[in-house]
PDB file of all heavy atoms in Angstrom:
ATOM      1  N   TYR D  15     -35.538 -11.572   5.131  1.00 93.00           N
ATOM      2  CA  TYR D  15     -34.101 -11.255   5.193  1.00 93.00           C
ATOM      3  C   TYR D  15     -33.607 -11.166   6.647  1.00 93.00           C
ATOM      4  O   TYR D  15     -32.641 -10.486   6.954  1.00 93.00           O
ATOM      5  CB  TYR D  15     -33.797  -9.942   4.474  1.00 93.00           C
ATOM      6  CG  TYR D  15     -34.364  -9.871   3.088  1.00 93.00           C
ATOM      7  CD1 TYR D  15     -35.508  -9.120   2.819  1.00 93.00           C
ATOM      8  CD2 TYR D  15     -33.791 -10.576   2.048  1.00 93.00           C
ATOM      9  CE1 TYR D  15     -36.058  -9.075   1.543  1.00 93.00           C
ATOM     10  CE2 TYR D  15     -34.318 -10.540   0.763  1.00 93.00           C
ATOM     11  CZ  TYR D  15     -35.456  -9.782   0.523  1.00 93.00           C
ATOM     12  OH  TYR D  15     -35.986  -9.742  -0.737  1.00 93.00           O
ATOM     13  N   GLY D  16     -34.308 -11.887   7.524  1.00 93.00           N
ATOM     14  CA  GLY D  16     -33.917 -11.877   8.930  1.00 93.00           C
ATOM     15  C   GLY D  16     -32.640 -12.630   9.218  1.00 93.00           C
ATOM     16  O   GLY D  16     -32.082 -12.524  10.322  1.00 93.00           O
ATOM     17  N   GLN D  17     -32.151 -13.404   8.238  1.00 93.00           N
ATOM     18  CA  GLN D  17     -30.907 -14.136   8.454  1.00 93.00           C
ATOM     19  C   GLN D  17     -29.704 -13.200   8.536  1.00 93.00           C
ATOM     20  O   GLN D  17     -28.635 -13.608   8.999  1.00 93.00           O
ATOM     21  CB  GLN D  17     -30.704 -15.184   7.356  1.00 93.00           C
ATOM     22  CG  GLN D  17     -30.029 -14.694   6.080  1.00 93.00           C
ATOM     23  CD  GLN D  17     -30.912 -13.817   5.223  1.00 93.00           C
ATOM     24  OE1 GLN D  17     -32.079 -13.633   5.553  1.00 93.00           O
ATOM     25  NE2 GLN D  17     -30.392 -13.288   4.134  1.00 93.00           N
ATOM     26  N   LYS D  18     -29.881 -11.948   8.114  1.00 93.00           N
ATOM     27  CA  LYS D  18     -28.759 -11.003   8.131  1.00 93.00           C
ATOM     28  C   LYS D  18     -28.496 -10.436   9.523  1.00 93.00           C
ATOM     29  O   LYS D  18     -27.450  -9.823   9.735  1.00 93.00           O
ATOM     30  CB  LYS D  18     -29.036  -9.852   7.164  1.00 93.00           C
ATOM     31  CG  LYS D  18     -29.196 -10.283   5.710  1.00 93.00           C
ATOM     32  CD  LYS D  18     -29.464  -9.083   4.822  1.00 93.00           C
ATOM     33  CE  LYS D  18     -29.627  -9.494   3.372  1.00 93.00           C
ATOM     34  NZ  LYS D  18     -29.917  -8.307   2.498  1.00 93.00           N
ATOM     35  N   TYR D  19     -29.433 -10.628  10.446  1.00 94.00           N
ATOM     36  CA  TYR D  19     -29.317  -9.986  11.748  1.00 94.00           C
ATOM     37  C   TYR D  19     -29.389 -11.051  12.850  1.00 94.00           C
ATOM     38  O   TYR D  19     -29.963 -12.123  12.666  1.00 94.00           O
ATOM     39  CB  TYR D  19     -30.453  -8.976  11.952  1.00 94.00           C
ATOM     40  CG  TYR D  19     -30.657  -8.050  10.775  1.00 94.00           C
ATOM     41  CD1 TYR D  19     -31.703  -8.283   9.868  1.00 94.00           C
ATOM     42  CD2 TYR D  19     -29.818  -6.977  10.549  1.00 94.00           C
ATOM     43  CE1 TYR D  19     -31.899  -7.453   8.778  1.00 94.00           C
ATOM     44  CE2 TYR D  19     -30.012  -6.130   9.461  1.00 94.00           C
ATOM     45  CZ  TYR D  19     -31.045  -6.379   8.582  1.00 94.00           C
ATOM     46  OH  TYR D  19     -31.244  -5.548   7.491  1.00 94.00           O
ATOM     47  N   ASP D  20     -28.834 -10.705  13.994  1.00 94.00           N
ATOM     48  CA  ASP D  20     -28.898 -11.586  15.143  1.00 94.00           C
ATOM     49  C   ASP D  20     -30.292 -11.548  15.762  1.00 94.00           C
ATOM     50  O   ASP D  20     -31.035 -10.571  15.583  1.00 94.00           O
ATOM     51  CB  ASP D  20     -27.863 -11.180  16.196  1.00 94.00           C
ATOM     52  CG  ASP D  20     -26.438 -11.375  15.691  1.00 94.00           C
ATOM     53  OD1 ASP D  20     -26.249 -12.226  14.803  1.00 94.00           O
ATOM     54  OD2 ASP D  20     -25.529 -10.656  16.186  1.00 94.00           O
ATOM     55  N   LYS D  21     -30.616 -12.606  16.473  1.00 95.00           N
ATOM     56  CA  LYS D  21     -31.922 -12.676  17.129  1.00 95.00           C
ATOM     57  C   LYS D  21     -32.104 -11.525  18.123  1.00 95.00           C
ATOM     58  O   LYS D  21     -33.156 -10.869  18.136  1.00 95.00           O
ATOM     59  CB  LYS D  21     -32.061 -14.020  17.845  1.00 95.00           C
ATOM     60  CG  LYS D  21     -33.305 -14.130  18.716  1.00 95.00           C
ATOM     61  CD  LYS D  21     -33.335 -15.434  19.489  1.00 95.00           C
ATOM     62  CE  LYS D  21     -34.506 -15.479  20.440  1.00 95.00           C
ATOM     63  NZ  LYS D  21     -34.547 -16.737  21.236  1.00 95.00           N
ATOM     64  N   ASP D  22     -31.105 -11.266  18.944  1.00 95.00           N
ATOM     65  CA  ASP D  22     -31.220 -10.202  19.945  1.00 95.00           C
ATOM     66  C   ASP D  22     -31.404  -8.840  19.286  1.00 95.00           C
ATOM     67  O   ASP D  22     -32.133  -7.987  19.806  1.00 95.00           O
ATOM     68  CB  ASP D  22     -29.989 -10.185  20.857  1.00 95.00           C
ATOM     69  CG  ASP D  22     -29.881 -11.440  21.700  1.00 95.00           C
ATOM     70  OD1 ASP D  22     -30.916 -12.107  21.904  1.00 95.00           O
ATOM     71  OD2 ASP D  22     -28.771 -11.770  22.159  1.00 95.00           O
ATOM     72  N   TYR D  23     -30.754  -8.635  18.154  1.00 96.00           N
ATOM     73  CA  TYR D  23     -30.874  -7.350  17.468  1.00 96.00           C
ATOM     74  C   TYR D  23     -32.312  -7.128  16.980  1.00 96.00           C
ATOM     75  O   TYR D  23     -32.887  -6.038  17.154  1.00 96.00           O
ATOM     76  CB  TYR D  23     -29.907  -7.301  16.281  1.00 96.00           C
ATOM     77  CG  TYR D  23     -30.020  -6.048  15.442  1.00 96.00           C
ATOM     78  CD1 TYR D  23     -29.425  -4.852  15.863  1.00 96.00           C
ATOM     79  CD2 TYR D  23     -30.733  -6.060  14.256  1.00 96.00           C
ATOM     80  CE1 TYR D  23     -29.547  -3.707  15.096  1.00 96.00           C
ATOM     81  CE2 TYR D  23     -30.847  -4.919  13.476  1.00 96.00           C
ATOM     82  CZ  TYR D  23     -30.252  -3.744  13.901  1.00 96.00           C
ATOM     83  OH  TYR D  23     -30.372  -2.613  13.144  1.00 96.00           O
ATOM     84  N   ILE D  24     -32.926  -8.150  16.403  1.00 96.00           N
ATOM     85  CA  ILE D  24     -34.291  -8.020  15.897  1.00 96.00           C
ATOM     86  C   ILE D  24     -35.290  -7.869  17.040  1.00 96.00           C
ATOM     87  O   ILE D  24     -36.153  -6.967  17.034  1.00 96.00           O
ATOM     88  CB  ILE D  24     -34.654  -9.227  15.021  1.00 96.00           C
ATOM     89  CG1 ILE D  24     -33.807  -9.231  13.751  1.00 96.00           C
ATOM     90  CG2 ILE D  24     -36.138  -9.239  14.671  1.00 96.00           C
ATOM     91  CD1 ILE D  24     -34.060 -10.420  12.837  1.00 96.00           C
ATOM     92  N   ILE D  25     -35.180  -8.728  18.049  1.00 96.00           N
ATOM     93  CA  ILE D  25     -36.145  -8.692  19.153  1.00 96.00           C
ATOM     94  C   ILE D  25     -36.032  -7.382  19.930  1.00 96.00           C
ATOM     95  O   ILE D  25     -37.045  -6.775  20.296  1.00 96.00           O
ATOM     96  CB  ILE D  25     -35.946  -9.897  20.065  1.00 96.00           C
ATOM     97  CG1 ILE D  25     -36.150 -11.213  19.276  1.00 96.00           C
ATOM     98  CG2 ILE D  25     -36.895  -9.845  21.236  1.00 96.00           C
ATOM     99  CD1 ILE D  25     -37.501 -11.335  18.623  1.00 96.00           C
ATOM    100  N   ASN D  26     -34.815  -6.928  20.191  1.00 96.00           N
ATOM    101  CA  ASN D  26     -34.650  -5.678  20.958  1.00 96.00           C
ATOM    102  C   ASN D  26     -35.208  -4.480  20.189  1.00 96.00           C
ATOM    103  O   ASN D  26     -35.791  -3.569  20.800  1.00 96.00           O
ATOM    104  CB  ASN D  26     -33.177  -5.474  21.290  1.00 96.00           C
ATOM    105  CG  ASN D  26     -32.666  -6.480  22.295  1.00 96.00           C
ATOM    106  OD1 ASN D  26     -33.438  -7.037  23.078  1.00 96.00           O
ATOM    107  ND2 ASN D  26     -31.366  -6.732  22.286  1.00 96.00           N
ATOM    108  N   ASN D  27     -35.037  -4.451  18.878  1.00 96.00           N
ATOM    109  CA  ASN D  27     -35.593  -3.351  18.095  1.00 96.00           C
ATOM    110  C   ASN D  27     -37.115  -3.382  18.102  1.00 96.00           C
ATOM    111  O   ASN D  27     -37.772  -2.321  18.197  1.00 96.00           O
ATOM    112  CB  ASN D  27     -35.069  -3.413  16.656  1.00 96.00           C
ATOM    113  CG  ASN D  27     -33.731  -2.734  16.495  1.00 96.00           C
ATOM    114  OD1 ASN D  27     -33.634  -1.520  16.344  1.00 96.00           O
ATOM    115  ND2 ASN D  27     -32.671  -3.539  16.529  1.00 96.00           N
ATOM    116  N   LEU D  28     -37.694  -4.561  18.018  1.00 96.00           N
ATOM    117  CA  LEU D  28     -39.147  -4.666  18.065  1.00 96.00           C
ATOM    118  C   LEU D  28     -39.693  -4.286  19.438  1.00 96.00           C
ATOM    119  O   LEU D  28     -40.721  -3.602  19.545  1.00 96.00           O
ATOM    120  CB  LEU D  28     -39.582  -6.087  17.702  1.00 96.00           C
ATOM    121  CG  LEU D  28     -39.314  -6.538  16.265  1.00 96.00           C
ATOM    122  CD1 LEU D  28     -39.697  -7.999  16.083  1.00 96.00           C
ATOM    123  CD2 LEU D  28     -40.058  -5.668  15.253  1.00 96.00           C
ATOM    124  N   LEU D  29     -39.007  -4.704  20.486  1.00 96.00           N
ATOM    125  CA  LEU D  29     -39.453  -4.352  21.839  1.00 96.00           C
ATOM    126  C   LEU D  29     -39.358  -2.848  22.077  1.00 96.00           C
ATOM    127  O   LEU D  29     -40.232  -2.254  22.725  1.00 96.00           O
ATOM    128  CB  LEU D  29     -38.616  -5.101  22.873  1.00 96.00           C
ATOM    129  CG  LEU D  29     -38.887  -6.599  23.020  1.00 96.00           C
ATOM    130  CD1 LEU D  29     -37.864  -7.249  23.939  1.00 96.00           C
ATOM    131  CD2 LEU D  29     -40.302  -6.839  23.552  1.00 96.00           C
ATOM    132  N   SER D  30     -38.318  -2.222  21.531  1.00 95.00           N
ATOM    133  CA  SER D  30     -38.166  -0.776  21.713  1.00 95.00           C
ATOM    134  C   SER D  30     -39.267  -0.011  20.980  1.00 95.00           C
ATOM    135  O   SER D  30     -39.731   1.022  21.463  1.00 95.00           O
ATOM    136  CB  SER D  30     -36.789  -0.331  21.204  1.00 95.00           C
ATOM    137  OG  SER D  30     -35.750  -0.972  21.938  1.00 95.00           O
ATOM    138  N   TYR D  31     -39.690  -0.526  19.842  1.00 95.00           N
ATOM    139  CA  TYR D  31     -40.686   0.181  19.057  1.00 95.00           C
ATOM    140  C   TYR D  31     -42.083   0.075  19.664  1.00 95.00           C
ATOM    141  O   TYR D  31     -42.860   1.036  19.632  1.00 95.00           O
ATOM    142  CB  TYR D  31     -40.705  -0.347  17.621  1.00 95.00           C
ATOM    143  CG  TYR D  31     -41.574   0.469  16.701  1.00 95.00           C
ATOM    144  CD1 TYR D  31     -41.073   1.608  16.084  1.00 95.00           C
ATOM    145  CD2 TYR D  31     -42.894   0.100  16.455  1.00 95.00           C
ATOM    146  CE1 TYR D  31     -41.878   2.377  15.243  1.00 95.00           C
ATOM    147  CE2 TYR D  31     -43.694   0.856  15.616  1.00 95.00           C
ATOM    148  CZ  TYR D  31     -43.181   1.994  15.007  1.00 95.00           C
ATOM    149  OH  TYR D  31     -43.983   2.747  14.187  1.00 95.00           O
ATOM    150  N   ILE D  32     -42.427  -1.099  20.217  1.00 95.00           N
ATOM    151  CA  ILE D  32     -43.774  -1.286  20.752  1.00 95.00           C
ATOM    152  C   ILE D  32     -43.862  -1.016  22.242  1.00 95.00           C
ATOM    153  O   ILE D  32     -44.903  -1.260  22.867  1.00 95.00           O
ATOM    154  CB  ILE D  32     -44.275  -2.714  20.467  1.00 95.00           C
ATOM    155  CG1 ILE D  32     -43.476  -3.738  21.283  1.00 95.00           C
ATOM    156  CG2 ILE D  32     -44.221  -3.031  18.991  1.00 95.00           C
ATOM    157  CD1 ILE D  32     -44.040  -5.147  21.189  1.00 95.00           C
ATOM    158  N   ALA D  33     -42.773  -0.508  22.852  1.00 94.00           N
ATOM    159  CA  ALA D  33     -42.787  -0.220  24.290  1.00 94.00           C
ATOM    160  C   ALA D  33     -43.960   0.702  24.629  1.00 94.00           C
ATOM    161  O   ALA D  33     -44.317   1.577  23.825  1.00 94.00           O
ATOM    162  CB  ALA D  33     -41.462   0.418  24.686  1.00 94.00           C
ATOM    163  N   PRO D  34     -44.615   0.510  25.767  1.00 94.00           N
ATOM    164  CA  PRO D  34     -44.245  -0.353  26.896  1.00 94.00           C
ATOM    165  C   PRO D  34     -44.727  -1.796  26.781  1.00 94.00           C
ATOM    166  O   PRO D  34     -44.600  -2.547  27.747  1.00 94.00           O
ATOM    167  CB  PRO D  34     -44.930   0.345  28.069  1.00 94.00           C
ATOM    168  CG  PRO D  34     -46.160   0.937  27.462  1.00 94.00           C
ATOM    169  CD  PRO D  34     -45.780   1.365  26.081  1.00 94.00           C
ATOM    170  N   GLU D  35     -45.316  -2.178  25.649  1.00 93.00           N
ATOM    171  CA  GLU D  35     -45.735  -3.572  25.472  1.00 93.00           C
ATOM    172  C   GLU D  35     -44.508  -4.473  25.370  1.00 93.00           C
ATOM    173  O   GLU D  35     -43.465  -4.075  24.833  1.00 93.00           O
ATOM    174  CB  GLU D  35     -46.593  -3.721  24.207  1.00 93.00           C
ATOM    175  CG  GLU D  35     -47.851  -2.857  24.193  1.00 93.00           C
ATOM    176  CD  GLU D  35     -48.854  -3.306  25.218  1.00 93.00           C
ATOM    177  OE1 GLU D  35     -48.758  -4.476  25.685  1.00 93.00           O
ATOM    178  OE2 GLU D  35     -49.735  -2.503  25.566  1.00 93.00           O
ATOM    179  N   THR D  36     -44.647  -5.675  25.884  1.00 94.00           N
ATOM    180  CA  THR D  36     -43.548  -6.648  25.839  1.00 94.00           C
ATOM    181  C   THR D  36     -44.092  -7.980  25.314  1.00 94.00           C
ATOM    182  O   THR D  36     -45.294  -8.245  25.355  1.00 94.00           O
ATOM    183  CB  THR D  36     -42.925  -6.855  27.227  1.00 94.00           C
ATOM    184  OG1 THR D  36     -43.934  -7.338  28.133  1.00 94.00           O
ATOM    185  CG2 THR D  36     -42.340  -5.547  27.747  1.00 94.00           C
ATOM    186  N   PHE D  37     -43.196  -8.799  24.838  1.00 93.00           N
ATOM    187  CA  PHE D  37     -43.562 -10.129  24.364  1.00 93.00           C
ATOM    188  C   PHE D  37     -42.359 -11.040  24.464  1.00 93.00           C
ATOM    189  O   PHE D  37     -41.213 -10.594  24.575  1.00 93.00           O
ATOM    190  CB  PHE D  37     -44.071 -10.071  22.919  1.00 93.00           C
ATOM    191  CG  PHE D  37     -43.004  -9.764  21.905  1.00 93.00           C
ATOM    192  CD1 PHE D  37     -42.316 -10.781  21.259  1.00 93.00           C
ATOM    193  CD2 PHE D  37     -42.663  -8.447  21.608  1.00 93.00           C
ATOM    194  CE1 PHE D  37     -41.323 -10.501  20.334  1.00 93.00           C
ATOM    195  CE2 PHE D  37     -41.673  -8.158  20.678  1.00 93.00           C
ATOM    196  CZ  PHE D  37     -41.011  -9.183  20.040  1.00 93.00           C
ATOM    197  N   LEU D  38     -42.658 -12.327  24.427  1.00 92.00           N
ATOM    198  CA  LEU D  38     -41.616 -13.343  24.430  1.00 92.00           C
ATOM    199  C   LEU D  38     -41.727 -14.138  23.140  1.00 92.00           C
ATOM    200  O   LEU D  38     -42.757 -14.760  22.873  1.00 92.00           O
ATOM    201  CB  LEU D  38     -41.786 -14.285  25.626  1.00 92.00           C
ATOM    202  CG  LEU D  38     -40.775 -15.440  25.716  1.00 92.00           C
ATOM    203  CD1 LEU D  38     -39.389 -14.892  26.029  1.00 92.00           C
ATOM    204  CD2 LEU D  38     -41.198 -16.450  26.774  1.00 92.00           C
ATOM    205  N   PRO D  39     -40.702 -14.105  22.291  1.00 94.00           N
ATOM    206  CA  PRO D  39     -40.768 -14.862  21.040  1.00 94.00           C
ATOM    207  C   PRO D  39     -40.730 -16.370  21.299  1.00 94.00           C
ATOM    208  O   PRO D  39     -39.852 -16.863  22.018  1.00 94.00           O
ATOM    209  CB  PRO D  39     -39.531 -14.395  20.259  1.00 94.00           C
ATOM    210  CG  PRO D  39     -38.577 -13.930  21.319  1.00 94.00           C
ATOM    211  CD  PRO D  39     -39.422 -13.369  22.436  1.00 94.00           C
ATOM    212  N   ILE D  40     -41.674 -17.073  20.732  1.00 92.00           N
ATOM    213  CA  ILE D  40     -41.765 -18.518  20.920  1.00 92.00           C
ATOM    214  C   ILE D  40     -41.201 -19.204  19.699  1.00 92.00           C
ATOM    215  O   ILE D  40     -41.614 -18.939  18.566  1.00 92.00           O
ATOM    216  CB  ILE D  40     -43.230 -18.933  21.158  1.00 92.00           C
ATOM    217  CG1 ILE D  40     -43.784 -18.236  22.401  1.00 92.00           C
ATOM    218  CG2 ILE D  40     -43.344 -20.450  21.310  1.00 92.00           C
ATOM    219  CD1 ILE D  40     -45.254 -18.501  22.642  1.00 92.00           C
ATOM    220  N   MET D  41     -40.255 -20.091  19.922  1.00 92.00           N
ATOM    221  CA  MET D  41     -39.622 -20.889  18.869  1.00 92.00           C
ATOM    222  C   MET D  41     -39.060 -20.004  17.754  1.00 92.00           C
ATOM    223  O   MET D  41     -39.517 -20.055  16.610  1.00 92.00           O
ATOM    224  CB  MET D  41     -40.603 -21.914  18.297  1.00 92.00           C
ATOM    225  CG  MET D  41     -40.924 -23.056  19.240  1.00 92.00           C
ATOM    226  SD  MET D  41     -41.842 -24.396  18.448  1.00 92.00           S
ATOM    227  CE  MET D  41     -40.620 -25.028  17.312  1.00 92.00           C
ATOM    228  N   TYR D  42     -38.100 -19.189  18.087  1.00 94.00           N
ATOM    229  CA  TYR D  42     -37.439 -18.336  17.096  1.00 94.00           C
ATOM    230  C   TYR D  42     -36.586 -19.231  16.195  1.00 94.00           C
ATOM    231  O   TYR D  42     -35.715 -19.966  16.650  1.00 94.00           O
ATOM    232  CB  TYR D  42     -36.576 -17.294  17.795  1.00 94.00           C
ATOM    233  CG  TYR D  42     -36.000 -16.245  16.874  1.00 94.00           C
ATOM    234  CD1 TYR D  42     -36.639 -15.031  16.699  1.00 94.00           C
ATOM    235  CD2 TYR D  42     -34.819 -16.475  16.172  1.00 94.00           C
ATOM    236  CE1 TYR D  42     -36.114 -14.054  15.868  1.00 94.00           C
ATOM    237  CE2 TYR D  42     -34.286 -15.522  15.318  1.00 94.00           C
ATOM    238  CZ  TYR D  42     -34.946 -14.311  15.176  1.00 94.00           C
ATOM    239  OH  TYR D  42     -34.417 -13.361  14.338  1.00 94.00           O
ATOM    240  N   ARG D  43     -36.851 -19.143  14.900  1.00 93.00           N
ATOM    241  CA  ARG D  43     -36.131 -19.975  13.934  1.00 93.00           C
ATOM    242  C   ARG D  43     -35.751 -19.135  12.725  1.00 93.00           C
ATOM    243  O   ARG D  43     -36.427 -18.167  12.377  1.00 93.00           O
ATOM    244  CB  ARG D  43     -36.995 -21.154  13.471  1.00 93.00           C
ATOM    245  CG  ARG D  43     -37.285 -22.183  14.545  1.00 93.00           C
ATOM    246  CD  ARG D  43     -36.063 -23.034  14.841  1.00 93.00           C
ATOM    247  NE  ARG D  43     -36.353 -24.103  15.770  1.00 93.00           N
ATOM    248  CZ  ARG D  43     -36.314 -23.987  17.074  1.00 93.00           C
ATOM    249  NH1 ARG D  43     -36.020 -22.811  17.625  1.00 93.00           N
ATOM    250  NH2 ARG D  43     -36.565 -25.015  17.868  1.00 93.00           N
ATOM    251  N   VAL D  44     -34.668 -19.512  12.066  1.00 94.00           N
ATOM    252  CA  VAL D  44     -34.235 -18.895  10.819  1.00 94.00           C
ATOM    253  C   VAL D  44     -34.276 -19.985   9.754  1.00 94.00           C
ATOM    254  O   VAL D  44     -33.572 -20.996   9.846  1.00 94.00           O
ATOM    255  CB  VAL D  44     -32.816 -18.300  10.927  1.00 94.00           C
ATOM    256  CG1 VAL D  44     -32.366 -17.765   9.570  1.00 94.00           C
ATOM    257  CG2 VAL D  44     -32.793 -17.192  11.970  1.00 94.00           C
ATOM    258  N   PHE D  45     -35.112 -19.761   8.754  1.00 90.00           N
ATOM    259  CA  PHE D  45     -35.267 -20.723   7.655  1.00 90.00           C
ATOM    260  C   PHE D  45     -34.939 -20.004   6.358  1.00 90.00           C
ATOM    261  O   PHE D  45     -35.623 -19.053   5.969  1.00 90.00           O
ATOM    262  CB  PHE D  45     -36.694 -21.282   7.619  1.00 90.00           C
ATOM    263  CG  PHE D  45     -36.925 -22.284   6.537  1.00 90.00           C
ATOM    264  CD1 PHE D  45     -36.404 -23.561   6.637  1.00 90.00           C
ATOM    265  CD2 PHE D  45     -37.650 -21.941   5.410  1.00 90.00           C
ATOM    266  CE1 PHE D  45     -36.616 -24.497   5.636  1.00 90.00           C
ATOM    267  CE2 PHE D  45     -37.872 -22.866   4.396  1.00 90.00           C
ATOM    268  CZ  PHE D  45     -37.354 -24.148   4.520  1.00 90.00           C
ATOM    269  N   GLU D  46     -33.865 -20.476   5.710  1.00 90.00           N
ATOM    270  CA  GLU D  46     -33.352 -19.845   4.489  1.00 90.00           C
ATOM    271  C   GLU D  46     -33.030 -18.375   4.768  1.00 90.00           C
ATOM    272  O   GLU D  46     -32.169 -18.090   5.601  1.00 90.00           O
ATOM    273  CB  GLU D  46     -34.347 -20.020   3.338  1.00 90.00           C
ATOM    274  CG  GLU D  46     -34.491 -21.472   2.906  1.00 90.00           C
ATOM    275  CD  GLU D  46     -35.442 -21.643   1.738  1.00 90.00           C
ATOM    276  OE1 GLU D  46     -36.075 -20.645   1.355  1.00 90.00           O
ATOM    277  OE2 GLU D  46     -35.538 -22.763   1.211  1.00 90.00           O
TER     278      GLU D  46
END
């Protein structure tokens, strides 16, 4: 159900939860 949210919203929430670890999403895509 990731199509309901913007990419920045999902990535920023994940980064905030796993801080101080960071990551760069590779080939972010929305399918269906």
Side-chain angles (χ1 to χ4, degrees):
Y15 309 103
Q17 86 287 356
K18 299 180 180 179
Y19 313 101
D20 294 335
K21 172 184 175 181
D22 294 338
Y23 176 79
I24 293 178
I25 300 302
N26 291 336
N27 275 278
L28 294 176
L29 287 172
S30 299
Y31 188 84
I32 68 172
E35 301 292 341
T36 60
F37 70 93
L38 178 69
I40 300 175
M41 289 190 67
Y42 188 96
R43 293 286 186 274
V44 176
F45 181 74
E46 293 182 354

